[in-house]
Amino acid sequence: MDRAKDQKRRTIEETLNRLYLIKKSAPKAGYWALLIIYLATSAATSATASSATEVTVAGYTVPIYIFAGVLSSLANICIILMAVFYDTLGVITSLVLIAIQLPMIISGIVVRHNITSLPGVFGDVLAIIAVLFIYFNNRKMSEYQRVLRDQAVTDMLTGLPNWFACTELIDELVRREERFAVCSIDFNGFKSINDSMGFEAGNRVLIEISNKWKSIADSGDSGTMDFISRLNGDEFSLVIREFESEEEVLHTIRKYDAAVNETIDAMGYDFYLSASFGYAIYPDDAQDMDSVISYSDIAMHEIKRANSGEHIEKFTPEILKKEHTFEMEMKLRAAIDDDRVFFMLQPQYDMTHKLRGFEALARIRNEAGEIIPPGLFIPVAEKVGLIDKIDSIVFRKSAAFVGDLIKRYDLDVTLSINISVRHLMKKDFLDDMRKQLEESGLPSGHLEVEITESVMIESLEKAMGYIHELRNMGVQIAIDDFGTGYSSLSYLNSIPANLLKIDKTFIDGVSSSDKAKQYVAAIISLGHIMGYEVISEGVEEDDQLEILREIGCDYIQGFIWGKPLPTEEVEKLVSEG
Ligand code: C2E
Ligand code: CA
Ligand code: CA
């Protein structure tokens, strides 16, 4: 385990050095260059010092030994530069070199009585003083910088590594492609400690629990290599390494969980805590740093939300789906509360391009004002029981708008609204409809309710009762997405509908496949035999339009003649006739 701790420390150290560029080491080549220059200049110094040769410089004749001083100063500069740039190695090399050089100079003076080398002795002594001075100064600086660095990666309250250290470690592990687990930890109801006992007590509790966790991580008792850090507030993160199986990860997390569940003594009080742990494994669950962190968070939030008494949850793709559902649910609720649910109207035409009416399609705007398409929120709304609210809002708003339009322009148009099965099955569905219809001012004969085929099959009897009642109110009924469910002729025959809506998926094929064309033709004939009119949805091309005319379709709704429009454009369309 010592090896483990060592490695842990090294990782952080490396990380910090990289970040602060404190040990921005000079290139190794420089060290060798300085050494070579030093040896060359020293050799030249001793050669010139004892030479009687004279040379001519700028017309003057000078003895060559006067250059010895210059060369020896150069050698000393090399020594000092080594000490400055190459830390301990530089200092040791410098001292060794001086220690070799100095006796040689002294012996030269003593044996050959050559006192011209005397300044060299002073030079070396000064160099020793300079090197030692540099050495001690460097040590002081390093210590100071180490303290600074430690502060940057340490959480001041608990003494654990902080968020920064944690993400750096994860980043490093991902870069090394090492398998590890990230576990997000969050205390349950920690806020109540702060609220009832004050921040001081909250802090003491965090310190106590951190100490326990630190000793688990340091002892190596868990059997894995653990790195516990405090992110902020009551959020912690545990990075687990060196495990063979997921069982070992779970075993480690249980140890940390058990430590939370012991009574915590702080400021003379006993605190009983619990925490939620969610984990994800790299690279099994996620292949980059951001995902592995966010997935462990998602797993942690999931176990918190479940509120089942369990504390530990492993990330799975199903949880991610649930989380997305949950996020969308929050967005939906906020949109409903802030009145950001609205509608668009898509025109429907007969085959001569005469306006039949409009289908109201739900939209929501997010907080930034961007439109979210129904494909994203309708399935969630259905799942979490918000669809009847959406249906009602769309009904209320679109009926008021179209009712007003009909009055002002003396129009004969139908407003089609979508009703989901959940809405249809509600006890007070009919009362709601009556009330809303009255308030909207839309004559009931101008309202059409679209119900999808599959919905009616699932809940035939009850639905049938309501549908009959709607018919009695004068409301028209359309069977939506026809062809996508398991239609049976007998049931189809029993529905008091006016209109069959053929789904876009069948229309897509009519111009390219004879089979698709025959199929749509058969649906249209069948619909007519049963007394329904037929509308084709999702018509986009002229070819499709031609074929639909040929096989006797009554109406079309599609981008070819009109996309879903905002109210201003509907107004424009109507006013221009
Ligand atoms: P839907 O009821 O089948 O509505 C028709 C969908 O087809 C609309 O998509 C419409 O924009 C699209 N569409 C129409 N013509 C074309 C075309 O030519 N090309 C293409 N590519 N698409 C076309 P939208 O508005 O995205 O609605 C999707 C579904 O969401 C609707 O399918 C409906 O099932 C549901 N929905 C929309 N609004 C509501 C609502 O207020 N209540 C309920 N319960 N469901 C709704
Ligand atoms: Ca529809
Ligand atoms: Ca449809």
Side-chain angles (χ1 to χ4, degrees), residues 346-348 356-361 415-418 448-453 456 477-485 487 492 497-507 520 523-524 527 532-538 553-558:
Q346 186 177 26
Q348 301 172 335
R356 171 190 189 256
F358 300 96
E359 176 178 3
L361 294 160
L415 169 68
S416 301
I417 58 159
N418 292 281
E448 183 171 77
V449 169
E450 293 189 8
I451 301 162
T452 59
E453 184 197 29
M456 287 194 260
I477 305 292
I479 301 174
D480 203 357
D481 302 336
F482 188 75
T484 57
S487 338
L492 198 59
N498 316 80
L499 188 71
L500 278 192
K501 298 192 81 174
I502 306 178
D503 194 67
K504 179 174 184 297
T505 45
F506 301 105
I507 306 304
V520 173
I523 296 176
I524 294 172
Y532 304 143
E533 289 188 299
V534 181
I535 184 167
S536 297
E537 272 191 295
C553 184
D554 304 301
Y555 303 104
I556 65 150
Q557 175 182 344

Side-chain angles (χ1 to χ4, degrees), residues 3 12 18 106 140 174 195 202 217 273 318 377 382-383 385 400 424 426 432 475 486 500:
R3 186 177 64 85
I12 294 242
R18 248 204 344 268
I106 293 173
K140 223 165 73 187
V174 168
D195 288 350
L273 281 182
E318 287 71 48
F377 68 83
E382 273 171 349
K383 202 160 154 189
L424 189 71
K426 270 183 72 174
D432 271 3
V475 174
Y486 329 84
L500 278 192

